[in-house]
Amino acid sequence: MWKQQAFNELSIHELYSYLQLRVNVFIVEQNCPYPELDGYDEKSYHLAFVENTEPLAYARILPSGLKYSRISIGRVIVKKEARGKGLAKELMNECLQFIEAKWPNQEIQLQAQAHLAHFYGSFGFKAISDEYLEDNIPHVDMVKY
């Protein structure tokens, strides 16, 4: 089941499970210590695919002016055990539909791990930066116009 919630709509259990998934993937699995709790969650929207109370896919959407001048998508994750089933594509489609319904015809920015640039490109995102290291992982900034 897909869920789309503002921060104040999240239960304590939902918030904990989303943060746990983010830490398990971005910090533990990718062996990348960085400040996961960055101060943006409270003003963001949280999209997740949840099965039996467990999030299998997750992303957060930040309104324009919060992190970038554009609306942005971040923390895009599919749980390791759920990969290869098309959830990442569904997640991106859910994000784009949510954004279009809430803020029609707006540019969208994201910070992609470089090896996923082609994936995001399939949704119409174009690179706007050269490749750079963020937390020792190659990234590229991308925008969908």
Side-chain angles (χ1 to χ4, degrees):
M1 169 175 66
W2 286 101
K3 292 184 166 194
Q4 304 168 350
Q5 299 162 286
F7 183 83
N8 64 350
E9 297 171 327
L10 297 172
S11 71
I12 293 169
H13 174 76
E14 287 168 328
L15 176 61
Y16 182 87
S17 67
Y18 297 163
L19 295 175
Q20 184 179 40
L21 176 62
R22 287 168 30 180
V23 167
N24 286 345
V25 172
F26 292 128
I27 297 174
V28 177
E29 183 181 327
Q30 295 182 353
N31 192 26
C32 183
Y34 75 101
E36 172 56 29
L37 301 178
D38 57 9
Y40 295 121
D41 286 313
E42 292 177 280
K43 295 180 179 157
S44 298
Y45 293 88
H46 304 266
L47 278 67
F49 181 79
V50 179
E51 191 172 87
N52 299 323
T53 72
E54 182 181 10
L56 300 181
Y58 169 90
R60 75 176 179 188
I61 297 174
L62 291 75
S64 61
L66 189 55
K67 183 173 182 178
Y68 303 109
S69 61
R70 300 172 176 100
I71 297 160
S72 64
I73 301 171
R75 301 298 198 261
V76 178
I77 305 173
V78 174
K79 188 174 182 173
K80 190 174 189 176
E81 297 80 7
R83 293 180 193 153
K85 299 176 182 175
L87 275 178
K89 288 181 182 178
E90 286 184 46
L91 176 61
M92 284 303 297
N93 284 325
E94 288 287 325
C95 288
L96 295 173
Q97 289 171 17
F98 176 86
I99 291 168
E100 185 59 28
K102 188 155 187 66
W103 304 288
N105 305 311
Q106 297 295 308
E107 294 179 354
I108 305 166
Q109 185 166 345
L110 54 79
Q111 185 182 33
Q113 291 187 7
H115 73 278
L116 294 170
H118 180 74
F119 170 75
Y120 293 114
S122 72
F123 294 95
F125 285 88
K126 309 266 187 241
I128 59 165
S129 75
D130 291 329
E131 194 172 296
Y132 60 91
L133 287 179
E134 176 80 18
D135 300 316
N136 215 28
I137 297 173
H139 280 76
V140 64
D141 293 334
M142 301 183 82
V143 171
K144 180 176 172 54
Y145 296 100

